[in-house]
Amino acid sequence: MAKNTVVLLVVVVVLGLMSGGGSGQEEAPRRIHTLFSVECQNYFDWQTVGLMHSFKKARQPGPVTRLLSCTDEEKKKYKGMNLAPTLEVPSMSKHPKTGDWYPAINKPAGIVHWLKHSKDAENVDWVVILDADMIIRGPIIPWDLGAEKGRPVAAYYGYLVGCNNLLAKLHTKHPELCDKVGGLLAMHIDDLRALAPMWLSKTEEVRADKAHWATNLTGDIYGKGWISEMYGYSFGAAEVGLRHKINDNLMIYPGYIPREGVEPILMHYGLPFSVGNWSFSKLEHHEDGIVYECGRLFPEPPYPREVKAMEVDPNKRKALLLNIECINTLNEGLLLQHAANGCHNPKWSKYLSLLKSKTFAELTRPKFLTPKSLQMKEAEFKQQVVDEPQRPYPKIHTVFSTECTAYFDWQTVGLVHSFHRSGQPGNITRLLSCTDEDLKQYKGHDLAPTHHVPSMSRHPLTGDWYPAINKPAAVLHWLNHANIDAEFIVILDADMIMRGPITPWEFKAARGRPVSAPYDYLIGCDNELAKLHTRHPEACDKVGGVIIMHIDDLRKFALLWLHKTEEVRADTSHYAKNVTGDIYESGWISEMYGYSFGAAELKLRHLINSEILIYPGYVPVPGVKYRVFHYGLEYRVGNWSFDKADWRDTDLVNVCWAKFPDPPDPSTLDHTDENILQRDLLNIECARALNEALRLHHRKRKCPDPSFSTSNFEMANEATISRKFGRIDGSNARIINPVLANDSQESSLPVVPNQTYGSLRFWMICLWAFSILGFVAVVSVLLAGRKGRKKRVQGYKTKRRASYSGFWDMNGHDRHARSAEVL
């Protein structure tokens, strides 16, 4: 009996422990459901295959539902209903009320629909929300991540700058609660029920607020309101009082380097990434029917053994291994899907053998959270944001192309000065294209760090005179002859002034995804010109001016840039304005088309950002902080104007204190029209930056104090003497005798103070008076001596007179002639 009692007590204790009887509290429910949103397109089908395969491979607990947004017309043709457990959702890609085309709104709309119409939503406690372009590496368990009711866990989206500015104040009553989060969301079902309608409503609200789509307000590099859904989430969460536990270690973009000791459990392949010469970009597979083509996979990446040999640094090596793991998991999922589609077994290959091997299975077994993966929460994360950048930024090198002329020298002075003032990271190199003859006479070697390039202004094969070709030719020469350790290259034109840094991380440049400014006048991208000169006219981007490009892309692209420039330049039959947009119809912008067509050949698509560059004279978009002035066109402020072409032959660099006419003082501007005011202020800023650069250049050359007139006297003296002998040209006359701009005349002349010119006149009069008196004295002595001489010494007197004549010649005609030649 005693024995039975003991057994009974043990059973009771065990049951009590199992039920949590010791705490007096019920254990929190632990049911998880995973959601992701897609549309009826091939693009989302291969992403669905990858996500679903990784979902099973990672052993993610609970069911998964694909929220499939399709129109009735799309559903008739759609083949992928069996790719995942699916809830069909009415498409809101075209808004039923406004007609706005915005497919991203389907995500919150789909979740609202799921909450209302799915029985699964009634039997779940925690929800994990993902994007389709993700690979799960290990189980995502909300309570393990630290999620609580009222405190969801999310990944960090630092580019949502609208949480810190006017945008949040306009769209939520609680801007202080706005969190910059997205990508991975893990939250309690009650929180999602409160949030989802507000998420949808705020998405519609931000999308409709076109007046505040600017990049500086949203962080959207396109400035088109494309990330309105992300703000809809953040503003909606702020409205209902949800504060997030933000973790920047759980999710990683392939191509990024994980922090030491961190094991990401989610990969988001939203950006291009590469390993060696291999690369992948999801955007290149937008219409790809790879799910339904038996035996077809994405191009195989390097093998793990090859990757390990590429990189010594363990963190960088791990990043490369993550890159190939991402694509290999996608391909493994495609293999299994093809088999499910009834495809025959593919032929054996080394790559298929890898995907089916125990080695690959071991490499991709489920990953679990490490202690360091959970460190970045709340206070720790806030500190990390303050101390950014934690992740090391890539090296940058800035280059620009010039020739051995005075015209490019003053532009070089302006650009290099502004480069140092702008805070631009990395180094700068001038690509100087000169003939051997030009180089012998060139004086501007010390104006900038320089890489010398053989000139192609006169084409060595065709004899065509086209200096613009020096730009691609110089970039190609630099790549082939310089030691370059930078990861990204920023390419500018010489006629630019930098106002701030131009960095790939801010403007979202990546390998396979360069950034540039719009050149909308390149209409040849839209017509027969593109069809004639590239196999991929649909990939032709109308861009130029500022280029941010990964070095690997530039190495592949530079030769095509040069070749396509030659090709377009030779196509004289298509120079017409209606074909090229060139108002001169002379093929002068062939180099720009060479760039666009060369990039199209490689399907190198650009992120086009209209907020990097502005032409002085254009009205700025309010609030935009442009990084570059491109003063390629004439611009004005009142009666003052500036046109770089007026200064083509003027040496402003080697003449002490030469500069451009000063623009008006800002205090004199009319404030009645804010747009015109801001335009004129930028115009003045550009002109002042050029003059400031020239002033510092002259000071660096140790030009004498401009208030002291000795050097000006010497210049004026030489000019006057040269003028006497007819040896002065127009350019020198402009330097010595400047005319200030007035209502009727634009000045192209460096400014010399009027007081200095007055002192020059005084010294000139003194010099000539002294010369005349000296001449009279010498003649008097000669005449007096002649009377007292005898005939026998006539020969000696003649010789002596010849000697005086020689002195006059040496200090007169010959001396002045040499002065004129020097000038």
Side-chain angles (χ1 to χ4, degrees):
M1 182 67 180
K3 183 177 180 181
N4 290 338
T5 302
V6 170
V7 171
L8 182 61
L9 285 171
V10 170
V11 171
V12 170
V13 170
V14 170
L15 289 174
L17 290 173
M18 290 177 64
S19 65
S23 64
Q25 298 177 350
E26 291 187 8
E27 184 177 347
R30 298 289 176 116
R31 296 171 297 180
I32 306 173
H33 201 111
T34 302
L35 301 173
F36 67 103
S37 175
V38 300
E39 299 160 47
C40 289
Q41 298 174 10
N42 287 338
Y43 180 57
F44 286 106
D45 284 358
W46 62 258
Q47 294 177 38
T48 296
V49 167
L51 180 58
M52 287 303 303
H53 175 58
S54 68
F55 177 91
K56 298 167 187 173
K57 199 176 179 77
R59 300 175 190 169
Q60 172 70 7
V64 62
T65 296
R66 172 180 63 160
L67 306 176
L68 182 65
S69 303
C70 300
T71 64
D72 293 338
E73 196 61 35
E74 287 172 333
K75 260 189 275 189
K76 293 176 184 177
K77 304 175 183 178
Y78 186 60
K79 299 183 287 185
M81 281 297 181
N82 64 336
L83 296 180
T86 299
L87 176 69
E88 294 181 40
V89 177
S91 175
M92 275 189 66
S93 294
K94 186 173 184 179
H95 198 281
K97 293 182 180 178
T98 66
D100 178 42
W101 179 259
Y102 183 56
I105 201 173
N106 285 313
K107 186 173 182 180
I111 289 171
V112 169
H113 191 274
W114 178 79
L115 287 169
K116 286 183 178 180
H117 300 283
S118 173
K119 290 183 179 179
D120 290 329
E122 300 172 5
N123 299 297
V124 64
D125 307 295
W126 295 92
V127 180
V128 174
I129 302 173
L130 304 176
D131 289 336
D133 56 344
M134 289 180 168
I135 295 294
I136 307 173
R137 303 182 71 236
I140 304 169
I141 303 172
W143 52 88
D144 283 351
L145 304 182
E148 305 172 62
K149 191 172 181 180
R151 299 301 307 276
V153 166
Y156 179 56
Y157 270 8
Y159 58 84
L160 296 180
V161 297
C163 276
N164 299 334
N165 60 36
L166 173 67
L167 200 67
K169 295 175 183 177
L170 287 171
H171 293 289
T172 172
K173 293 176 289 187
H174 306 289
E176 74 283 357
L177 300 183
C178 186
D179 290 327
K180 296 187 280 188
V181 294
L184 164 64
L185 302 169
M187 70 176 63
H188 196 275
I189 187 68
D190 292 346
D191 295 333
L192 186 60
R193 290 188 187 280
L195 166 67
M198 191 63 70
W199 182 358
L200 176 58
S201 175
K202 288 295 177 182
T203 298
E204 294 173 304
E205 186 181 310
V206 178
R207 179 68 183 169
D209 185 9
K210 294 183 180 180
H212 295 95
W213 280 3
T215 300
N216 64 306
L217 287 174
T218 64
D220 178 1
I221 58 174
Y222 300 103
K224 301 294 184 183
W226 196 252
I227 59 177
S228 298
E229 173 270 316
M230 299 179 186
Y231 279 114
Y233 178 88
S234 293
F235 295 158
E239 284 293 277
V240 298
L242 286 180
R243 293 309 303 268
H244 295 78
K245 293 185 176 182
I246 307 173
N247 192 312
D248 201 27
N249 288 327
L250 303 174
M251 184 183 82
I252 193 169
Y253 287 89
Y256 281 43
I257 299 173
R259 293 183 177 90
E260 188 176 352
V262 169
E263 190 66 76
I265 59 173
L266 191 64
M267 286 191 283
H268 190 182
Y269 54 90
L271 301 174
F273 59 96
S274 64
V275 179
N277 292 324
W278 174 92
S279 64
F280 179 83
S281 172
K282 71 171 188 174
L283 295 176
E284 294 177 357
H285 300 276
H286 210 279
E287 305 297 332
D288 202 324
I290 195 169
V291 171
Y292 309 105
E293 297 177 27
C294 290
R296 184 166 160 256
L297 305 176
F298 293 117
E300 62 184 70
Y303 290 85
R305 185 184 305 169
E306 297 170 334
V307 170
K308 290 175 182 177
M310 286 181 188
E311 184 57 61
V312 177
D313 184 279
N315 284 332
K316 291 182 180 178
R317 186 193 305 134
K318 184 175 182 180
L320 295 178
L321 289 170
L322 284 172
N323 293 355
I324 65 169
E325 179 187 326
C326 178
I327 200 69
N328 285 338
T329 303
L330 275 170
N331 278 339
E332 185 183 28
L334 286 169
L335 274 178
L336 295 173
Q337 186 59 46
H338 290 163
N341 291 348
C343 296
H344 296 297
N345 289 333
K347 293 181 180 179
W348 180 92
S349 70
K350 182 181 176 183
Y351 182 58
L352 289 182
S353 180
L354 168 71
L355 294 182
K356 295 179 179 181
S357 68
K358 290 183 179 179
T359 302
F360 181 67
E362 180 67 19
L363 287 172
T364 56
R365 72 180 189 274
K367 305 299 186 294
F368 298 95
L369 295 169
T370 63
K372 286 195 175 182
S373 296
L374 295 171
Q375 282 181 357
M376 295 286 190
K377 290 183 183 179
E378 301 177 297
E380 296 92 332
F381 183 81
K382 298 294 182 186
Q383 184 62 41
Q384 183 231 342
V385 174
V386 171
D387 294 339
E388 277 191 334
Q390 290 286 321
R391 184 181 291 115
Y393 286 134
K395 286 187 178 180
I396 309 173
H397 200 113
T398 303
V399 298
F400 65 103
S401 175
T402 71
E403 299 161 41
C404 287
T405 65
Y407 182 55
F408 282 106
D409 282 358
W410 62 256
Q411 294 177 37
T412 296
V413 168
L415 177 55
V416 173
H417 167 71
S418 68
F419 170 88
H420 293 299
R421 288 292 180 91
S422 69
Q424 176 73 353
N427 298 318
I428 188 168
T429 296
R430 171 180 60 165
L431 310 178
L432 184 64
S433 302
C434 299
T435 64
D436 293 339
E437 196 60 36
D438 288 338
L439 209 53
K440 291 176 185 176
Q441 303 173 17
Y442 185 61
K443 302 176 185 177
H445 294 287
D446 61 345
L447 297 181
T450 300
H451 176 81
H452 291 93
V453 180
S455 174
M456 275 189 67
S457 296
R458 179 76 63 190
H459 197 283
L461 298 178
T462 66
D464 177 41
W465 178 258
Y466 183 55
I469 202 173
N470 284 313
K471 186 175 180 179
V475 170
L476 181 63
H477 190 278
W478 179 66
L479 289 171
N480 289 333
H481 293 85
N483 293 321
I484 305 166
D485 65 348
E487 187 175 344
F488 282 90
I489 309 302
V490 176
I491 304 174
L492 303 177
D493 289 337
D495 57 342
M496 289 181 171
I497 292 292
M498 295 185 68
R499 305 177 71 233
I502 304 167
T503 61
W505 51 87
E506 181 176 359
F507 292 101
K508 304 296 186 293
R511 186 189 276 109
R513 201 69 172 168
V515 170
S516 190
Y519 269 12
D520 292 332
Y521 57 84
L522 296 180
I523 60 173
C525 275
D526 301 327
N527 59 39
E528 62 185 291
L529 197 69
K531 295 174 183 177
L532 287 169
H533 293 289
T534 171
R535 293 170 297 175
H536 307 291
E538 75 286 353
C540 185
D541 290 328
K542 296 186 282 187
V543 295
V546 175
I547 308 294
I548 312 172
M549 187 177 287
H550 194 280
I551 185 70
D552 293 346
D553 295 330
L554 190 59
R555 290 189 189 282
K556 297 174 190 174
F557 162 69
L559 185 59
L560 271 172
W561 183 5
L562 177 59
H563 284 172
K564 288 296 176 182
T565 299
E566 295 173 308
E567 185 180 309
V568 178
R569 178 69 179 169
D571 185 8
T572 55
S573 61
H574 291 94
Y575 276 6
K577 180 181 176 181
N578 65 308
V579 175
T580 63
D582 180 0
I583 59 174
Y584 301 103
E585 299 188 329
S586 62
W588 198 252
I589 58 177
S590 299
E591 173 272 316
M592 298 179 188
Y593 279 116
Y595 179 92
S596 292
F597 295 159
E601 283 294 278
L602 296 175
K603 290 189 175 180
L604 203 58
R605 299 308 302 269
H606 295 74
L607 296 176
I608 304 175
N609 192 306
S610 61
E611 300 187 355
I612 300 179
L613 175 151
I614 188 170
Y615 287 88
Y618 280 41
V619 175
V621 175
V624 175
K625 196 169 184 179
Y626 298 98
R627 304 305 170 85
V628 169
F629 285 131
H630 190 183
Y631 53 90
L633 304 173
E634 182 185 22
Y635 59 96
R636 297 174 175 273
V637 180
N639 293 322
W640 175 94
S641 68
F642 180 85
D643 185 344
K644 70 171 187 175
D646 290 341
W647 302 84
R648 185 173 292 278
D649 300 316
T650 307
D651 188 351
L652 294 162
V653 170
N654 297 304
V655 176
C656 278
W657 307 116
K659 66 171 186 174
F660 300 106
D662 288 320
D665 191 279
S667 63
T668 65
L669 298 179
D670 184 357
H671 287 61
T672 55
D673 187 321
E674 182 63 22
N675 287 334
I676 300 301
L677 174 64
Q678 294 304 318
R679 180 200 68 187
D680 289 350
L681 287 173
L682 288 180
N683 293 351
I684 291 170
E685 180 188 336
C686 183
R688 283 184 167 182
L690 280 168
N691 272 343
E692 175 66 6
L694 286 168
R695 184 184 69 80
L696 294 174
H697 165 75
H698 293 312
R699 191 171 74 181
K700 183 180 177 182
R701 289 179 64 225
K702 295 185 168 55
C703 282
D705 188 332
S707 62
F708 182 67
S709 60
T710 302
S711 60
N712 294 317
F713 164 74
E714 292 172 356
M715 288 160 44
N717 188 32
E718 290 181 352
T720 305
I721 295 170
S722 300
R723 197 175 290 115
K724 176 179 173 66
F725 286 89
R727 302 294 291 273
I728 193 161
D729 59 22
S731 62
N732 286 327
R734 286 167 59 181
I735 291 175
I736 302 306
N737 187 24
V739 180
L740 294 177
N742 54 40
D743 293 350
S744 61
Q745 184 179 10
E746 295 173 21
S747 173
S748 305
L749 314 174
V751 177
V752 179
N754 290 335
Q755 301 94 316
T756 302
Y757 200 71
S759 66
L760 292 179
R761 180 179 297 175
F762 170 78
W763 284 106
M764 288 292 299
I765 292 171
C766 292
L767 176 64
W768 283 106
F770 176 81
S771 299
I772 292 169
L773 289 173
F775 174 79
V776 171
V778 170
V779 170
S780 299
V781 170
L782 288 173
L783 291 174
R786 187 174 183 182
K787 292 178 181 178
R789 302 289 181 182
K790 293 183 180 180
K791 193 172 183 178
R792 59 185 178 83
V793 295
Q794 185 66 39
Y796 172 76
K797 288 187 292 182
T798 304
K799 183 178 179 181
R800 187 178 180 194
R801 190 162 56 249
S803 176
Y804 277 106
S805 298
F807 178 81
W808 172 252
D809 290 342
M810 180 62 72
N811 290 275
H813 292 58
D814 290 351
R815 179 169 66 90
H816 302 328
R818 281 202 304 275
S819 298
E821 288 166 4
V822 170
L823 286 175

